[in-house]
Amino acid sequence: MSYSPVHVKHDVETVDTAAQALSSPAAFPVPVICPSNGEMLAPLRDGADFLRRRSGTRQFAGMSDWLNERPIESGWVSGRDLLTQPEHFNNLCQVMRRLRGGADHVVASLAWKTYSYWVIAPLILGYVTARRIPVLDADSFEYAADSSWETVFHMRQNRPAAWVLDSDPARMHEGVRVSTGDSHLLEQVRQAVWDDHLEPLMAMIRRRVRLSERLMRGSLASAIAYVTAEFAVIGREAPEVVAKTFLELFDVADLVELKTNDYGRLEFQRRSCCLALAAERPGLCSSCPAA
């Protein structure tokens, strides 16, 4: 299943699930590491490396430099600045316009799709590897985007911080926010990432451009389903369970249809179009309802 993301220029072929299973370890060995000298991200980094060896880099290309502490030097914009300074959203739309072209509402939809994907992907990577979820509220999340780069959109945290369970060896580390269980962990994510970051951003975009809330929520739902399917091999739970957890967390469970195929791989069909088909240089997601 190909998500046809607008944030990576090249297209890496998805490797057949059965062939992957033959060439890869049966399970990802979750590292248990106390954070020191940047080791807060160790489980996420190891999970990404496992996926890279297995099926390429497309799923995490935009966070690869952050995970490996090799961020680009300049051009970073925080989520807070994107929310409060209109020129930053204009610039992000221009990146999408140069990449795909199209009317204002089309490039705005693709900008939202790209931005929300790279907020969601690190959350789920941290959740499935070690329940160590990077804090990506509007103040902590930063991005840099340029249509001339091979990977158009990059993300990072501007300071190390994570939500962890009270059983995590990282719980005493500076910057850690301790949760008493999965429910509490997810409540913290919901408040910071949805209530205080993505939902206000969605509202800001809709004030400026004519886009339906259903369409925008559909892109978020699609990102959750796609990332969960791609990261399933490094998780311990069934991918459909993880997908439903995050879809319900962000109130978008009605916007994708989930199923598990004969190989045990999660598949999904979205119920709204992201408008990539309407761009001057159109793209097509295999999960598109208009296809």
PDB file of all heavy atoms in Angstrom, residues 153-191:
ATOM      1  N   PHE A 153      10.313  18.104   3.615  1.00  0.00           N
ATOM      2  CA  PHE A 153       9.890  18.561   4.930  1.00  0.00           C
ATOM      3  C   PHE A 153      10.688  17.821   6.006  1.00  0.00           C
ATOM      4  O   PHE A 153      10.778  16.591   5.989  1.00  0.00           O
ATOM      5  CB  PHE A 153       8.395  18.288   5.113  1.00  0.00           C
ATOM      6  CG  PHE A 153       7.759  18.957   6.305  1.00  0.00           C
ATOM      7  CD1 PHE A 153       7.042  20.127   6.154  1.00  0.00           C
ATOM      8  CD2 PHE A 153       7.855  18.393   7.568  1.00  0.00           C
ATOM      9  CE1 PHE A 153       6.427  20.734   7.248  1.00  0.00           C
ATOM     10  CE2 PHE A 153       7.255  18.990   8.667  1.00  0.00           C
ATOM     11  CZ  PHE A 153       6.540  20.177   8.506  1.00  0.00           C
ATOM     12  N   HIS A 154      11.285  18.576   6.930  1.00  0.00           N
ATOM     13  CA  HIS A 154      12.004  18.003   8.066  1.00  0.00           C
ATOM     14  C   HIS A 154      11.373  18.499   9.364  1.00  0.00           C
ATOM     15  O   HIS A 154      10.915  19.644   9.436  1.00  0.00           O
ATOM     16  CB  HIS A 154      13.475  18.426   8.051  1.00  0.00           C
ATOM     17  CG  HIS A 154      14.270  17.854   6.929  1.00  0.00           C
ATOM     18  ND1 HIS A 154      15.078  16.751   7.068  1.00  0.00           N
ATOM     19  CD2 HIS A 154      14.371  18.232   5.623  1.00  0.00           C
ATOM     20  CE1 HIS A 154      15.652  16.471   5.916  1.00  0.00           C
ATOM     21  NE2 HIS A 154      15.242  17.348   5.025  1.00  0.00           N
ATOM     22  N   MET A 155      11.393  17.644  10.392  1.00  0.00           N
ATOM     23  CA  MET A 155      10.907  18.039  11.707  1.00  0.00           C
ATOM     24  C   MET A 155      11.975  17.795  12.749  1.00  0.00           C
ATOM     25  O   MET A 155      12.930  17.042  12.538  1.00  0.00           O
ATOM     26  CB  MET A 155       9.634  17.286  12.087  1.00  0.00           C
ATOM     27  CG  MET A 155       9.718  15.765  12.196  1.00  0.00           C
ATOM     28  SD  MET A 155      10.618  15.067  13.626  1.00  0.00           S
ATOM     29  CE  MET A 155       9.703  15.784  14.998  1.00  0.00           C
ATOM     30  N   ARG A 156      11.814  18.447  13.918  1.00  0.00           N
ATOM     31  CA  ARG A 156      12.672  18.184  15.068  1.00  0.00           C
ATOM     32  C   ARG A 156      11.978  18.715  16.319  1.00  0.00           C
ATOM     33  O   ARG A 156      10.982  19.450  16.237  1.00  0.00           O
ATOM     34  CB  ARG A 156      14.029  18.863  14.910  1.00  0.00           C
ATOM     35  CG  ARG A 156      13.991  20.386  15.036  1.00  0.00           C
ATOM     36  CD  ARG A 156      15.391  20.993  14.996  1.00  0.00           C
ATOM     37  NE  ARG A 156      15.345  22.436  15.230  1.00  0.00           N
ATOM     38  CZ  ARG A 156      16.416  23.224  15.185  1.00  0.00           C
ATOM     39  NH1 ARG A 156      17.606  22.724  14.905  1.00  0.00           N
ATOM     40  NH2 ARG A 156      16.303  24.518  15.414  1.00  0.00           N
ATOM     41  N   GLN A 157      12.493  18.347  17.470  1.00  0.00           N
ATOM     42  CA  GLN A 157      12.139  18.994  18.739  1.00  0.00           C
ATOM     43  C   GLN A 157      13.170  20.090  18.995  1.00  0.00           C
ATOM     44  O   GLN A 157      14.356  19.915  18.728  1.00  0.00           O
ATOM     45  CB  GLN A 157      12.199  18.010  19.894  1.00  0.00           C
ATOM     46  CG  GLN A 157      11.085  17.005  19.968  1.00  0.00           C
ATOM     47  CD  GLN A 157      11.314  16.060  21.137  1.00  0.00           C
ATOM     48  OE1 GLN A 157      12.251  15.270  21.116  1.00  0.00           O
ATOM     49  NE2 GLN A 157      10.456  16.135  22.142  1.00  0.00           N
ATOM     50  N   ASN A 158      12.717  21.204  19.567  1.00  0.00           N
ATOM     51  CA  ASN A 158      13.689  22.251  19.894  1.00  0.00           C
ATOM     52  C   ASN A 158      14.320  22.055  21.267  1.00  0.00           C
ATOM     53  O   ASN A 158      15.238  22.783  21.643  1.00  0.00           O
ATOM     54  CB  ASN A 158      13.069  23.646  19.781  1.00  0.00           C
ATOM     55  CG  ASN A 158      11.851  23.824  20.664  1.00  0.00           C
ATOM     56  OD1 ASN A 158      11.683  23.140  21.675  1.00  0.00           O
ATOM     57  ND2 ASN A 158      10.973  24.749  20.277  1.00  0.00           N
ATOM     58  N   ARG A 159      13.831  21.059  22.004  1.00  0.00           N
ATOM     59  CA  ARG A 159      14.458  20.674  23.264  1.00  0.00           C
ATOM     60  C   ARG A 159      14.042  19.234  23.577  1.00  0.00           C
ATOM     61  O   ARG A 159      12.915  18.841  23.282  1.00  0.00           O
ATOM     62  CB  ARG A 159      14.042  21.602  24.412  1.00  0.00           C
ATOM     63  CG  ARG A 159      12.543  21.705  24.636  1.00  0.00           C
ATOM     64  CD  ARG A 159      12.213  22.717  25.721  1.00  0.00           C
ATOM     65  NE  ARG A 159      10.792  22.847  25.913  1.00  0.00           N
ATOM     66  CZ  ARG A 159      10.010  23.674  25.213  1.00  0.00           C
ATOM     67  NH1 ARG A 159      10.546  24.419  24.270  1.00  0.00           N
ATOM     68  NH2 ARG A 159       8.719  23.752  25.451  1.00  0.00           N
ATOM     69  N   PRO A 160      14.960  18.439  24.157  1.00  0.00           N
ATOM     70  CA  PRO A 160      14.624  17.031  24.432  1.00  0.00           C
ATOM     71  C   PRO A 160      13.529  16.924  25.486  1.00  0.00           C
ATOM     72  O   PRO A 160      13.645  17.484  26.575  1.00  0.00           O
ATOM     73  CB  PRO A 160      15.944  16.449  24.949  1.00  0.00           C
ATOM     74  CG  PRO A 160      16.998  17.419  24.553  1.00  0.00           C
ATOM     75  CD  PRO A 160      16.337  18.765  24.522  1.00  0.00           C
ATOM     76  N   ALA A 161      12.476  16.219  25.181  1.00  0.00           N
ATOM     77  CA  ALA A 161      11.387  15.984  26.127  1.00  0.00           C
ATOM     78  C   ALA A 161      10.563  14.817  25.615  1.00  0.00           C
ATOM     79  O   ALA A 161      10.416  14.627  24.407  1.00  0.00           O
ATOM     80  CB  ALA A 161      10.517  17.225  26.288  1.00  0.00           C
ATOM     81  N   ALA A 162      10.023  14.036  26.566  1.00  0.00           N
ATOM     82  CA  ALA A 162       9.215  12.888  26.172  1.00  0.00           C
ATOM     83  C   ALA A 162       8.213  12.557  27.258  1.00  0.00           C
ATOM     84  O   ALA A 162       8.456  12.789  28.441  1.00  0.00           O
ATOM     85  CB  ALA A 162      10.105  11.677  25.893  1.00  0.00           C
ATOM     86  N   TRP A 163       7.082  12.003  26.825  1.00  0.00           N
ATOM     87  CA  TRP A 163       6.151  11.380  27.746  1.00  0.00           C
ATOM     88  C   TRP A 163       6.567   9.928  27.908  1.00  0.00           C
ATOM     89  O   TRP A 163       6.822   9.223  26.922  1.00  0.00           O
ATOM     90  CB  TRP A 163       4.730  11.424  27.183  1.00  0.00           C
ATOM     91  CG  TRP A 163       4.123  12.781  27.103  1.00  0.00           C
ATOM     92  CD1 TRP A 163       3.694  13.564  28.136  1.00  0.00           C
ATOM     93  CD2 TRP A 163       3.835  13.527  25.903  1.00  0.00           C
ATOM     94  NE1 TRP A 163       3.169  14.748  27.666  1.00  0.00           N
ATOM     95  CE2 TRP A 163       3.233  14.754  26.297  1.00  0.00           C
ATOM     96  CE3 TRP A 163       4.020  13.284  24.542  1.00  0.00           C
ATOM     97  CZ2 TRP A 163       2.831  15.711  25.382  1.00  0.00           C
ATOM     98  CZ3 TRP A 163       3.623  14.239  23.621  1.00  0.00           C
ATOM     99  CH2 TRP A 163       3.039  15.440  24.048  1.00  0.00           C
ATOM    100  N   VAL A 164       6.642   9.449  29.141  1.00  0.00           N
ATOM    101  CA  VAL A 164       7.035   8.058  29.391  1.00  0.00           C
ATOM    102  C   VAL A 164       6.140   7.480  30.482  1.00  0.00           C
ATOM    103  O   VAL A 164       5.496   8.204  31.234  1.00  0.00           O
ATOM    104  CB  VAL A 164       8.517   7.947  29.827  1.00  0.00           C
ATOM    105  CG1 VAL A 164       9.445   8.629  28.829  1.00  0.00           C
ATOM    106  CG2 VAL A 164       8.731   8.512  31.227  1.00  0.00           C
ATOM    107  N   LEU A 165       6.140   6.164  30.575  1.00  0.00           N
ATOM    108  CA  LEU A 165       5.441   5.478  31.660  1.00  0.00           C
ATOM    109  C   LEU A 165       6.285   5.508  32.925  1.00  0.00           C
ATOM    110  O   LEU A 165       7.514   5.651  32.872  1.00  0.00           O
ATOM    111  CB  LEU A 165       5.140   4.038  31.259  1.00  0.00           C
ATOM    112  CG  LEU A 165       4.198   3.851  30.062  1.00  0.00           C
ATOM    113  CD1 LEU A 165       4.087   2.371  29.718  1.00  0.00           C
ATOM    114  CD2 LEU A 165       2.821   4.435  30.345  1.00  0.00           C
ATOM    115  N   ASP A 166       5.626   5.329  34.059  1.00  0.00           N
ATOM    116  CA  ASP A 166       6.379   5.384  35.323  1.00  0.00           C
ATOM    117  C   ASP A 166       7.287   4.181  35.520  1.00  0.00           C
ATOM    118  O   ASP A 166       8.088   4.148  36.458  1.00  0.00           O
ATOM    119  CB  ASP A 166       5.429   5.537  36.519  1.00  0.00           C
ATOM    120  CG  ASP A 166       4.328   4.488  36.555  1.00  0.00           C
ATOM    121  OD1 ASP A 166       4.400   3.515  35.770  1.00  0.00           O
ATOM    122  OD2 ASP A 166       3.402   4.648  37.365  1.00  0.00           O
ATOM    123  N   SER A 167       7.222   3.202  34.628  1.00  0.00           N
ATOM    124  CA  SER A 167       8.136   2.062  34.668  1.00  0.00           C
ATOM    125  C   SER A 167       9.363   2.254  33.785  1.00  0.00           C
ATOM    126  O   SER A 167      10.278   1.432  33.795  1.00  0.00           O
ATOM    127  CB  SER A 167       7.401   0.795  34.221  1.00  0.00           C
ATOM    128  OG  SER A 167       6.867   0.970  32.913  1.00  0.00           O
ATOM    129  N   ASP A 168       9.397   3.334  33.014  1.00  0.00           N
ATOM    130  CA  ASP A 168      10.501   3.581  32.083  1.00  0.00           C
ATOM    131  C   ASP A 168      11.753   3.996  32.853  1.00  0.00           C
ATOM    132  O   ASP A 168      11.677   4.838  33.754  1.00  0.00           O
ATOM    133  CB  ASP A 168      10.104   4.701  31.113  1.00  0.00           C
ATOM    134  CG  ASP A 168      11.041   4.818  29.914  1.00  0.00           C
ATOM    135  OD1 ASP A 168      12.272   4.826  30.111  1.00  0.00           O
ATOM    136  OD2 ASP A 168      10.532   4.923  28.782  1.00  0.00           O
ATOM    137  N   PRO A 169      12.931   3.434  32.519  1.00  0.00           N
ATOM    138  CA  PRO A 169      14.159   3.871  33.189  1.00  0.00           C
ATOM    139  C   PRO A 169      14.492   5.329  32.940  1.00  0.00           C
ATOM    140  O   PRO A 169      15.345   5.892  33.623  1.00  0.00           O
ATOM    141  CB  PRO A 169      15.229   2.942  32.608  1.00  0.00           C
ATOM    142  CG  PRO A 169      14.646   2.401  31.350  1.00  0.00           C
ATOM    143  CD  PRO A 169      13.171   2.329  31.576  1.00  0.00           C
ATOM    144  N   ALA A 170      13.802   5.954  31.998  1.00  0.00           N
ATOM    145  CA  ALA A 170      14.030   7.367  31.725  1.00  0.00           C
ATOM    146  C   ALA A 170      13.231   8.285  32.636  1.00  0.00           C
ATOM    147  O   ALA A 170      13.336   9.510  32.532  1.00  0.00           O
ATOM    148  CB  ALA A 170      13.672   7.674  30.273  1.00  0.00           C
ATOM    149  N   ARG A 171      12.456   7.733  33.549  1.00  0.00           N
ATOM    150  CA  ARG A 171      11.469   8.540  34.273  1.00  0.00           C
ATOM    151  C   ARG A 171      12.081   9.639  35.137  1.00  0.00           C
ATOM    152  O   ARG A 171      11.405  10.628  35.432  1.00  0.00           O
ATOM    153  CB  ARG A 171      10.589   7.645  35.144  1.00  0.00           C
ATOM    154  CG  ARG A 171      11.326   6.883  36.231  1.00  0.00           C
ATOM    155  CD  ARG A 171      10.438   5.856  36.908  1.00  0.00           C
ATOM    156  NE  ARG A 171      11.146   5.085  37.934  1.00  0.00           N
ATOM    157  CZ  ARG A 171      11.896   4.020  37.673  1.00  0.00           C
ATOM    158  NH1 ARG A 171      12.037   3.597  36.422  1.00  0.00           N
ATOM    159  NH2 ARG A 171      12.508   3.380  38.645  1.00  0.00           N
ATOM    160  N   MET A 172      13.334   9.511  35.561  1.00  0.00           N
ATOM    161  CA  MET A 172      13.956  10.510  36.417  1.00  0.00           C
ATOM    162  C   MET A 172      14.754  11.532  35.626  1.00  0.00           C
ATOM    163  O   MET A 172      15.327  12.453  36.193  1.00  0.00           O
ATOM    164  CB  MET A 172      14.894   9.826  37.430  1.00  0.00           C
ATOM    165  CG  MET A 172      14.201   8.808  38.321  1.00  0.00           C
ATOM    166  SD  MET A 172      12.836   9.519  39.278  1.00  0.00           S
ATOM    167  CE  MET A 172      13.748  10.633  40.361  1.00  0.00           C
ATOM    168  N   HIS A 173      14.764  11.399  34.323  1.00  0.00           N
ATOM    169  CA  HIS A 173      15.587  12.273  33.498  1.00  0.00           C
ATOM    170  C   HIS A 173      14.929  13.638  33.318  1.00  0.00           C
ATOM    171  O   HIS A 173      13.713  13.761  33.256  1.00  0.00           O
ATOM    172  CB  HIS A 173      15.816  11.628  32.129  1.00  0.00           C
ATOM    173  CG  HIS A 173      16.860  12.289  31.304  1.00  0.00           C
ATOM    174  ND1 HIS A 173      16.568  13.241  30.371  1.00  0.00           N
ATOM    175  CD2 HIS A 173      18.204  12.128  31.281  1.00  0.00           C
ATOM    176  CE1 HIS A 173      17.686  13.636  29.782  1.00  0.00           C
ATOM    177  NE2 HIS A 173      18.693  12.978  30.314  1.00  0.00           N
ATOM    178  N   GLU A 174      15.748  14.663  33.209  1.00  0.00           N
ATOM    179  CA  GLU A 174      15.236  16.017  32.965  1.00  0.00           C
ATOM    180  C   GLU A 174      14.495  16.062  31.632  1.00  0.00           C
ATOM    181  O   GLU A 174      14.949  15.516  30.633  1.00  0.00           O
ATOM    182  CB  GLU A 174      16.404  16.999  32.937  1.00  0.00           C
ATOM    183  CG  GLU A 174      15.984  18.447  32.751  1.00  0.00           C
ATOM    184  CD  GLU A 174      17.167  19.394  32.730  1.00  0.00           C
ATOM    185  OE1 GLU A 174      18.319  18.925  32.906  1.00  0.00           O
ATOM    186  OE2 GLU A 174      16.944  20.601  32.532  1.00  0.00           O
ATOM    187  N   GLY A 175      13.362  16.711  31.616  1.00  0.00           N
ATOM    188  CA  GLY A 175      12.572  16.825  30.403  1.00  0.00           C
ATOM    189  C   GLY A 175      11.521  15.760  30.233  1.00  0.00           C
ATOM    190  O   GLY A 175      10.703  15.828  29.313  1.00  0.00           O
ATOM    191  N   VAL A 176      11.523  14.755  31.124  1.00  0.00           N
ATOM    192  CA  VAL A 176      10.561  13.671  31.018  1.00  0.00           C
ATOM    193  C   VAL A 176       9.257  14.041  31.722  1.00  0.00           C
ATOM    194  O   VAL A 176       9.261  14.660  32.781  1.00  0.00           O
ATOM    195  CB  VAL A 176      11.155  12.378  31.619  1.00  0.00           C
ATOM    196  CG1 VAL A 176      10.068  11.353  31.901  1.00  0.00           C
ATOM    197  CG2 VAL A 176      12.199  11.796  30.687  1.00  0.00           C
ATOM    198  N   ARG A 177       8.140  13.647  31.123  1.00  0.00           N
ATOM    199  CA  ARG A 177       6.822  13.842  31.711  1.00  0.00           C
ATOM    200  C   ARG A 177       6.247  12.451  31.975  1.00  0.00           C
ATOM    201  O   ARG A 177       5.955  11.714  31.029  1.00  0.00           O
ATOM    202  CB  ARG A 177       5.925  14.651  30.785  1.00  0.00           C
ATOM    203  CG  ARG A 177       6.568  15.983  30.379  1.00  0.00           C
ATOM    204  CD  ARG A 177       5.683  16.807  29.479  1.00  0.00           C
ATOM    205  NE  ARG A 177       6.380  17.995  28.998  1.00  0.00           N
ATOM    206  CZ  ARG A 177       5.837  18.946  28.235  1.00  0.00           C
ATOM    207  NH1 ARG A 177       4.557  18.838  27.883  1.00  0.00           N
ATOM    208  NH2 ARG A 177       6.545  19.984  27.839  1.00  0.00           N
ATOM    209  N   VAL A 178       6.117  12.099  33.232  1.00  0.00           N
ATOM    210  CA  VAL A 178       5.784  10.729  33.625  1.00  0.00           C
ATOM    211  C   VAL A 178       4.271  10.524  33.629  1.00  0.00           C
ATOM    212  O   VAL A 178       3.512  11.347  34.139  1.00  0.00           O
ATOM    213  CB  VAL A 178       6.381  10.403  35.007  1.00  0.00           C
ATOM    214  CG1 VAL A 178       6.014   8.983  35.426  1.00  0.00           C
ATOM    215  CG2 VAL A 178       7.902  10.579  34.978  1.00  0.00           C
ATOM    216  N   SER A 179       3.850   9.393  33.075  1.00  0.00           N
ATOM    217  CA  SER A 179       2.446   9.008  33.051  1.00  0.00           C
ATOM    218  C   SER A 179       2.250   7.751  33.887  1.00  0.00           C
ATOM    219  O   SER A 179       3.136   6.895  33.965  1.00  0.00           O
ATOM    220  CB  SER A 179       1.993   8.736  31.609  1.00  0.00           C
ATOM    221  OG  SER A 179       2.254   9.841  30.779  1.00  0.00           O
ATOM    222  N   THR A 180       1.089   7.617  34.484  1.00  0.00           N
ATOM    223  CA  THR A 180       0.817   6.484  35.368  1.00  0.00           C
ATOM    224  C   THR A 180       0.323   5.253  34.629  1.00  0.00           C
ATOM    225  O   THR A 180       0.139   4.202  35.229  1.00  0.00           O
ATOM    226  CB  THR A 180      -0.217   6.885  36.423  1.00  0.00           C
ATOM    227  OG1 THR A 180      -1.396   7.376  35.763  1.00  0.00           O
ATOM    228  CG2 THR A 180       0.340   7.977  37.331  1.00  0.00           C
ATOM    229  N   GLY A 181       0.102   5.357  33.349  1.00  0.00           N
ATOM    230  CA  GLY A 181      -0.357   4.224  32.551  1.00  0.00           C
ATOM    231  C   GLY A 181      -0.651   4.684  31.140  1.00  0.00           C
ATOM    232  O   GLY A 181      -0.548   5.876  30.823  1.00  0.00           O
ATOM    233  N   ASP A 182      -1.040   3.735  30.277  1.00  0.00           N
ATOM    234  CA  ASP A 182      -1.295   4.082  28.876  1.00  0.00           C
ATOM    235  C   ASP A 182      -2.371   5.158  28.732  1.00  0.00           C
ATOM    236  O   ASP A 182      -2.247   6.066  27.900  1.00  0.00           O
ATOM    237  CB  ASP A 182      -1.716   2.832  28.104  1.00  0.00           C
ATOM    238  CG  ASP A 182      -0.520   2.086  27.521  1.00  0.00           C
ATOM    239  OD1 ASP A 182       0.614   2.345  27.984  1.00  0.00           O
ATOM    240  OD2 ASP A 182      -0.719   1.250  26.615  1.00  0.00           O
ATOM    241  N   SER A 183      -3.434   5.049  29.494  1.00  0.00           N
ATOM    242  CA  SER A 183      -4.530   6.018  29.369  1.00  0.00           C
ATOM    243  C   SER A 183      -4.060   7.426  29.708  1.00  0.00           C
ATOM    244  O   SER A 183      -4.365   8.392  28.988  1.00  0.00           O
ATOM    245  CB  SER A 183      -5.699   5.629  30.272  1.00  0.00           C
ATOM    246  OG  SER A 183      -6.277   4.421  29.851  1.00  0.00           O
ATOM    247  N   HIS A 184      -3.321   7.551  30.787  1.00  0.00           N
ATOM    248  CA  HIS A 184      -2.790   8.852  31.178  1.00  0.00           C
ATOM    249  C   HIS A 184      -1.798   9.364  30.138  1.00  0.00           C
ATOM    250  O   HIS A 184      -1.787  10.553  29.784  1.00  0.00           O
ATOM    251  CB  HIS A 184      -2.122   8.748  32.545  1.00  0.00           C
ATOM    252  CG  HIS A 184      -1.662  10.060  33.093  1.00  0.00           C
ATOM    253  ND1 HIS A 184      -0.537  10.182  33.895  1.00  0.00           N
ATOM    254  CD2 HIS A 184      -2.152  11.321  32.942  1.00  0.00           C
ATOM    255  CE1 HIS A 184      -0.373  11.450  34.211  1.00  0.00           C
ATOM    256  NE2 HIS A 184      -1.336  12.153  33.656  1.00  0.00           N
ATOM    257  N   LEU A 185      -0.956   8.468  29.617  1.00  0.00           N
ATOM    258  CA  LEU A 185       0.000   8.824  28.578  1.00  0.00           C
ATOM    259  C   LEU A 185      -0.714   9.418  27.371  1.00  0.00           C
ATOM    260  O   LEU A 185      -0.354  10.486  26.859  1.00  0.00           O
ATOM    261  CB  LEU A 185       0.793   7.584  28.176  1.00  0.00           C
ATOM    262  CG  LEU A 185       1.884   7.739  27.115  1.00  0.00           C
ATOM    263  CD1 LEU A 185       3.126   8.387  27.698  1.00  0.00           C
ATOM    264  CD2 LEU A 185       2.244   6.367  26.528  1.00  0.00           C
ATOM    265  N   LEU A 186      -1.754   8.745  26.931  1.00  0.00           N
ATOM    266  CA  LEU A 186      -2.486   9.194  25.753  1.00  0.00           C
ATOM    267  C   LEU A 186      -3.257  10.479  26.025  1.00  0.00           C
ATOM    268  O   LEU A 186      -3.406  11.320  25.129  1.00  0.00           O
ATOM    269  CB  LEU A 186      -3.415   8.084  25.270  1.00  0.00           C
ATOM    270  CG  LEU A 186      -2.692   6.854  24.708  1.00  0.00           C
ATOM    271  CD1 LEU A 186      -3.664   5.695  24.525  1.00  0.00           C
ATOM    272  CD2 LEU A 186      -1.998   7.177  23.391  1.00  0.00           C
ATOM    273  N   GLU A 187      -3.758  10.642  27.237  1.00  0.00           N
ATOM    274  CA  GLU A 187      -4.435  11.899  27.589  1.00  0.00           C
ATOM    275  C   GLU A 187      -3.477  13.083  27.461  1.00  0.00           C
ATOM    276  O   GLU A 187      -3.857  14.158  26.973  1.00  0.00           O
ATOM    277  CB  GLU A 187      -4.961  11.829  29.027  1.00  0.00           C
ATOM    278  CG  GLU A 187      -6.184  10.957  29.207  1.00  0.00           C
ATOM    279  CD  GLU A 187      -6.536  10.777  30.683  1.00  0.00           C
ATOM    280  OE1 GLU A 187      -5.931  11.473  31.524  1.00  0.00           O
ATOM    281  OE2 GLU A 187      -7.405   9.936  30.990  1.00  0.00           O
ATOM    282  N   GLN A 188      -2.234  12.898  27.898  1.00  0.00           N
ATOM    283  CA  GLN A 188      -1.249  13.966  27.789  1.00  0.00           C
ATOM    284  C   GLN A 188      -0.947  14.288  26.327  1.00  0.00           C
ATOM    285  O   GLN A 188      -0.823  15.462  25.947  1.00  0.00           O
ATOM    286  CB  GLN A 188       0.047  13.560  28.506  1.00  0.00           C
ATOM    287  CG  GLN A 188      -0.089  13.497  30.016  1.00  0.00           C
ATOM    288  CD  GLN A 188       1.234  13.139  30.682  1.00  0.00           C
ATOM    289  OE1 GLN A 188       1.758  12.044  30.498  1.00  0.00           O
ATOM    290  NE2 GLN A 188       1.776  14.062  31.452  1.00  0.00           N
ATOM    291  N   VAL A 189      -0.828  13.246  25.504  1.00  0.00           N
ATOM    292  CA  VAL A 189      -0.587  13.448  24.080  1.00  0.00           C
ATOM    293  C   VAL A 189      -1.750  14.190  23.444  1.00  0.00           C
ATOM    294  O   VAL A 189      -1.562  15.132  22.668  1.00  0.00           O
ATOM    295  CB  VAL A 189      -0.336  12.096  23.382  1.00  0.00           C
ATOM    296  CG1 VAL A 189      -0.252  12.267  21.870  1.00  0.00           C
ATOM    297  CG2 VAL A 189       0.940  11.442  23.901  1.00  0.00           C
ATOM    298  N   ARG A 190      -2.947  13.765  23.754  1.00  0.00           N
ATOM    299  CA  ARG A 190      -4.149  14.397  23.190  1.00  0.00           C
ATOM    300  C   ARG A 190      -4.181  15.897  23.509  1.00  0.00           C
ATOM    301  O   ARG A 190      -4.406  16.737  22.625  1.00  0.00           O
ATOM    302  CB  ARG A 190      -5.388  13.699  23.755  1.00  0.00           C
ATOM    303  CG  ARG A 190      -6.691  14.490  23.702  1.00  0.00           C
ATOM    304  CD  ARG A 190      -7.343  14.463  22.370  1.00  0.00           C
ATOM    305  NE  ARG A 190      -8.444  15.414  22.290  1.00  0.00           N
ATOM    306  CZ  ARG A 190      -9.542  15.238  21.571  1.00  0.00           C
ATOM    307  NH1 ARG A 190      -9.695  14.133  20.880  1.00  0.00           N
ATOM    308  NH2 ARG A 190     -10.475  16.146  21.534  1.00  0.00           N
ATOM    309  N   GLN A 191      -3.964  16.242  24.763  1.00  0.00           N
ATOM    310  CA  GLN A 191      -4.030  17.639  25.181  1.00  0.00           C
ATOM    311  C   GLN A 191      -2.984  18.484  24.462  1.00  0.00           C
ATOM    312  O   GLN A 191      -3.288  19.566  23.931  1.00  0.00           O
ATOM    313  CB  GLN A 191      -3.812  17.742  26.695  1.00  0.00           C
ATOM    314  CG  GLN A 191      -3.764  19.169  27.237  1.00  0.00           C
ATOM    315  CD  GLN A 191      -5.073  19.911  27.104  1.00  0.00           C
ATOM    316  OE1 GLN A 191      -6.129  19.339  27.370  1.00  0.00           O
ATOM    317  NE2 GLN A 191      -5.030  21.179  26.702  1.00  0.00           N
TER     318      GLN A 191
END
